[in-house]
Amino acid sequence: MSAAALQNNPPDRSPGPLAEALAVWRQWPDRSAFLCLFAAWVALFHFFGNSTLGYVNTRSLFGWWGWVATRGAATDLRGEVDWTRILDAEEAHMWLVPFAVVGLLWYRRADLLALPKAVWWPAGLVLLAGTLLHLAGYAIQQQRVSVVAFFVGLYGLTGLVWGWPWMRATVFPFSLFAFCVPLGSAAEPITFPLRLLATELTGGLCKTGLGINVIQEGTQLFSPAGHYQYEVAAACGGIRSLTAILAFSVVYGYLAFRTNWRRLLVAAAAFPLAVVGNVFRLTLIVVASEAFGREAGNFVHENWFFSLAPYVPSLGGTLLLGHWLREDRGPKGEPETVVLTEGEQEAGRG
């Protein structure tokens, strides 16, 4: 290629992801102070994070969290990591949440970099609240409380270094860390009402809307003739779909909107939409059993394709709500800007 052609068509010199990340990091203010405080915060929870040395013999809260996240399935009999069992665990999504948070912050890096940043001492109260919460969790031997405390304190720590505008702009990405808290048996107060509500709505829909004479008792659905009988177990009660839909709603709301009330509304809609989605799946099982026999109902219940059924009305409803709440973003391609009030600008300056 001639020199003239090279001049007219210069090669693409756009920086790679690593080079861009390093460039953004170099522009970030007070990064050394943040790293020192972050290292001290992590050390606290690593050396004094777990007060119970039962199932997992470690003082580290992260070690306890890793064991719970895998439910003891981290290794097989030969000591090799069994990732299949890990990813099939009930709360395997916890491994993905930190990457999702980092990804959202990276997506908004231009807006976040443009924010005024300065030390904001009131955020120290959030950091103090996280510390006291951890002390309480450590004293009563409740590691889940300490997990919440770690993320609350981390949020306060970032606000202490970079100010109120940063805290306001990152509250939704940081809220995803709630999905890193392992629930286990503590989810029963949530799962049982979900199971009962889904069963009642499915029974009512089948009888009044579809003309199927199905009997509902508690969390059971069965045919009067005894052709089929289903127990809506905890795993089928909607907690998995609720977790996935709520996480999707938070991410979607953060990416699609700039106003927090719209983001909150989309996130709140995840709860009724998750119930609707679960009722839809249970209804499919009953209809299949009624029309083609119990084997067909079992197929719908166990088939991986039909296990995605709850997400069709739920995710569709979320996107429709987002379309209805859409904001005027201006001309296509125009970069988003974060509008700060005069008081927020003063807070960012000190």
Side-chain angles (χ1 to χ4, degrees):
M1 184 179 291
S2 65
L6 283 173
Q7 186 176 4
N8 294 331
N9 299 284
D12 184 12
R13 298 182 180 275
S14 58
L18 180 59
E20 186 176 1
L22 291 175
V24 171
W25 179 247
R26 292 191 188 101
Q27 298 177 62
W28 215 265
D30 300 319
R31 55 187 182 274
S32 298
F34 169 75
L35 286 177
C36 292
L37 291 172
F38 177 69
W41 188 245
V42 169
L44 171 64
F45 286 84
H46 178 68
F47 294 106
F48 304 98
N50 178 28
S51 58
T52 59
L53 304 178
Y55 293 105
V56 52
N57 187 16
T58 178
R59 290 289 183 184
S60 173
L61 182 67
F62 310 112
W64 175 88
W65 182 90
W67 184 89
V68 172
T70 61
R71 288 294 187 267
T75 59
D76 58 19
L77 296 177
R78 296 170 295 177
E80 298 178 357
V81 176
D82 189 352
W83 286 105
T84 302
R85 293 179 63 192
I86 290 175
L87 297 178
D88 284 342
E90 189 72 22
E91 297 174 306
H93 61 271
M94 294 192 296
W95 296 98
L96 305 177
V97 171
F99 298 100
V101 174
V102 172
L104 290 177
L105 296 178
W106 176 253
Y107 182 81
R108 296 288 193 189
R109 61 191 180 279
D111 292 336
L112 296 176
L113 190 61
L115 292 173
K117 300 179 186 67
V119 174
W120 192 54
W121 294 109
L125 296 176
V126 181
L127 180 59
L128 177 62
T131 304
L132 296 177
L133 190 62
H134 171 54
L135 291 177
Y138 192 88
I140 63 177
Q141 298 183 343
Q142 289 294 326
Q143 293 87 348
R144 293 182 182 89
V145 176
S146 292
V147 173
V148 174
F150 175 79
F151 293 117
V152 169
L154 179 61
Y155 180 59
L157 190 153
T158 60
L160 178 64
V161 177
W162 294 319
W164 164 247
W166 163 271
M167 295 186 72
R168 178 175 177 268
T170 59
V171 61
F172 271 84
F174 269 86
S175 68
L176 285 175
F177 281 126
F179 296 103
C180 280
V181 181
L183 295 177
S185 60
E188 186 64 24
I190 302 174
T191 58
F192 182 74
L194 282 176
R195 292 162 57 194
L196 190 60
L197 178 61
T199 310
E200 291 176 348
L201 291 177
T202 302
L205 176 63
C206 289
K207 286 186 286 188
T208 60
L210 302 177
I212 299 176
N213 187 21
V214 62
I215 299 177
Q216 179 259 325
E217 289 186 1
T219 58
Q220 289 185 336
L221 292 169
F222 54 90
S223 166
H227 296 312
Y228 56 85
Q229 180 175 346
Y230 295 103
E231 168 76 21
V232 183
C236 302
I239 189 64
R240 277 190 173 184
S241 58
L242 174 60
T243 301
I245 294 163
L246 182 57
F248 173 81
S249 299
V250 172
V251 173
Y252 172 71
Y254 181 71
L255 296 178
F257 305 113
R258 289 175 289 174
T259 51
N260 284 339
W261 73 266
R262 286 184 172 88
R263 294 170 174 172
L264 284 172
L265 186 58
V266 170
F271 292 91
L273 287 174
V275 173
V276 170
N278 200 41
V279 169
F280 176 64
R281 178 171 182 254
L282 293 173
T283 303
L284 286 179
I285 296 173
V286 173
V287 170
S289 299
E290 188 73 20
F292 305 105
R294 179 166 184 167
E295 291 76 11
N298 291 339
F299 175 79
V300 174
H301 177 263
E302 298 170 2
N303 183 264
W304 69 268
F305 178 79
F306 286 102
S307 68
L308 301 177
Y311 302 103
V312 175
S314 302
L315 299 183
T318 301
L319 295 176
L320 284 176
L321 178 61
H323 178 73
W324 181 62
L325 293 173
R326 65 188 182 278
E327 298 170 330
D328 183 11
R329 294 179 175 272
K332 184 177 181 181
E334 180 180 337
E336 293 187 18
T337 56
V338 178
V339 180
L340 301 175
T341 65
E342 182 178 350
E344 291 171 343
Q345 294 177 2
E346 291 296 330
R349 288 193 287 267

